[in-house]
Every structure is written in structure tokens, then in C-alpha cells.
Amino acid sequence: NTEGNQNTASGFGALHRNTEGNQNTASGFNALYFNTEGNQNTATGAEALFNNSTGSYNTVSGFMALNRNTEGNQNTATGAGALHKNIKGSYNTASGSGALANKIEGEYNTAVGFHALNTIEKGNKNTAVGAETTTLDENPTNQTVIGYNATGQADHSVTLGNANVTAVYMGEDSGATVYAAGLRTASNPVLTLSENDATFADDVTVNGEVTVASDARLKTNIVSLGATLAKLLLIDGKTYTLKKNGKQKIGLLAQDIQKVFPELVHKNDNEMLAVNYQGLVPVMINALKEQEDKLKKQEDKISRLERLVEKFMVGK
């Protein structure tokens, strides 16, 4: 140490190369060994922050935790090998043996649990809670993964539990409310609609009412749908078997609906078609009204014919 001030070192090789770094604390064999200019680091454990040179404000506790860090700042690593390979990523928090152990770059990642997110090499803004949590790729972004051995599925998504999880409970009395495709802000605390959809990949059972926002104040360019009966008659209900599980179902084919009501068919990221069944309600209402109008006209014709026949019979 030549110009560094207020440093504390305890252990063979601790802060061995420090020249200008200030207010560092190193406790353990070779802890902060190569630090030269880094400031206000705390390293506890053999070879903790071993390669750090200019990184500052890091807090480390555990054998070889943040071992390869050189320039990363404001990282917190607790556990043997936590953030072991991090070189210059900053603002990461790893708690657990081997947590984020293989991450080299990336910021704002939080991993809690044994080997949590230890498969990623880069990635930013990811959060994982649970032992052996991981993601499908090595450079994820904004993934939240919760539960033992759970695997994040996509960027900007939340994954709860692993493949063995069979249910997710929200509140002990099952009375919790789940908001999807909605938005609250500090200036607008009322839940409002967003442009995003909520997608379910399997059967959904609802024990209660399902309501859909339909206030006229949310809409513009409102025009009557008009006659729909002729188009509706072109759609044929089907029975079919699902390929993925062999279940027998009754429903419609998206391709059939797309031909007559393309507005009710949407394509997902995998080019698969989905049907807005709720949107068929106004179609059927207008078709019923159209059918009712035809029946009324027929009844009027029959009534006139009956009166004519009655007059004819009386005149005779």
C-alpha cells in the first residue's frame, strides 16, 4: 500500500497490491489481492474479490465470491463462488453458494439460492429466487423466476415454479385478484387497460363471473355491426381431438372464422391462430335480431293472408 487510506486488511495476501484504493476492508487469504484503485470494498473470505483492481462499493462474503471482478461496482455477493466470474458487471446481488457464478457481464441481476441463475453469462435486470433457478438462454433480460429448479421461459416474463408445480394459490381464501394486461401508475391509481394481451396455453377454469371492460368511453369510431346471419351460417361447429393431450373438444376452427370475421382471429408469435370467442357474442346477437325480424315479417304476411282468406270465405 502506497497512497491508499483507511484500509483494513486481515489475512495472508489481503489487499496485497493496493496502491491508491481507499476505505477497503479485506479479511481472508488473498482477499482483494490485486486491488489497486478500488474504493470502499468489503471482502470477507479466501480470495474474495481476488482480481478486483478498480471496482468500488462491492460487498463480498464467501470463498472466491466475486473472484474475477476487476471493474464492476456496487455488487453484493454472499456465498462461496457467488458472482465468481463477474468481471465488470455492476449493481448485481447474489446470495447463495454459486449464485450467478458464471455471469461475466450484465447489471441489475438478483439471484437468491444455491446455484441460482448460475447458467447465465450476460443478461440484465433478471430476478431469481430459489435453488437451481435458471433460464432457457445465457443472455436473458428482465426475467423473473421463482421456485426450486424453475426455468425462465422468455424475456420480460415471470415464471412461477418448475414443471412439477400443479397449482398456484393467490391468498389463503382464494380471494386474491390477478391483474393482467392492466396498468396502474402513481398519478393514475385506477386500473386501466393496456394494449397487451393475457395468454393462457391450456384450459382455464373460473369459479365466478368473468367480466370484460366494455364502457363506451373506452371506444371510438362506434358503428353498428349490421346483418351477420349470412356470415354466421358459413361457420360450422366441429368436434376434434387435441394433439397435445388427446382430449376431445367441441369448438370452431380459426381458419373458418377468419374467412368471414377476420377481426376475431389473431396470430401469435408462433404463427398459430387464436379466436376471440367473446367477440362472437355481438355477432350472434345481431344474427338473432335479423332472424327475429324475418320471422316477424313472415308472421305479418301470414296474418294478412289469413285475413284475406277470411274475407273471401265470408263473401262467398
Side-chain angles (χ1 to χ4, degrees), residues 43-238:
T44 303
E47 297 194 359
L49 274 169
F50 178 77
N51 288 288
N52 191 75
S53 57
T54 60
S56 299
Y57 310 107
N58 296 290
T59 301
V60 177
S61 177
F63 171 69
M64 297 188 76
L66 266 170
N67 177 270
R68 299 187 185 180
N69 190 76
T70 56
E71 303 173 33
N73 300 304
Q74 299 188 43
N75 296 289
T76 300
T78 305
L83 275 167
H84 174 70
K85 292 184 179 180
N86 187 75
I87 297 176
K88 52 186 177 180
S90 299
Y91 316 111
N92 298 289
T93 300
S95 178
S97 177
L100 281 168
N102 290 293
K103 191 191 72 63
I104 300 172
E105 301 178 19
E107 300 179 334
Y108 303 106
N109 296 289
T110 300
V112 179
F114 172 73
H115 282 187
L117 287 182
N118 78 329
T119 59
I120 72 172
E121 294 183 359
K122 297 181 180 179
N124 300 287
K125 303 174 183 176
N126 300 289
T127 302
V129 179
E132 305 285 0
T133 47
T134 185
T135 58
L136 290 176
D137 57 273
E138 298 176 348
N139 186 20
T141 300
N142 194 32
Q143 294 194 31
T144 300
V145 188
I146 301 175
Y148 167 74
N149 200 30
T151 301
Q153 301 298 303
D155 290 347
H156 310 291
S157 71
V158 177
T159 301
L160 296 177
N162 58 29
N164 295 321
V165 172
T166 58
V168 177
Y169 293 96
M170 300 290 185
E172 292 182 2
D173 61 354
S174 300
T177 301
V178 178
Y179 293 103
L183 177 66
R184 292 179 189 270
T185 63
S187 60
N188 182 21
V190 178
L191 185 72
T192 57
L193 297 181
S194 73
E195 297 179 354
N196 300 315
D197 297 327
T199 301
F200 298 91
D202 213 328
D203 296 342
V204 177
T205 300
V206 179
N207 295 320
E209 297 180 351
V210 176
T211 59
V212 179
S214 190
D215 195 302
R217 292 170 293 182
L218 299 173
K219 306 171 184 180
T220 187
N221 300 325
I222 301 171
V223 179
S224 175
L225 188 57
T228 60
L229 181 59
K231 290 183 178 180
L232 193 61
L233 291 175
L234 296 175
I235 301 174
D236 184 40
K238 310 286 187 182

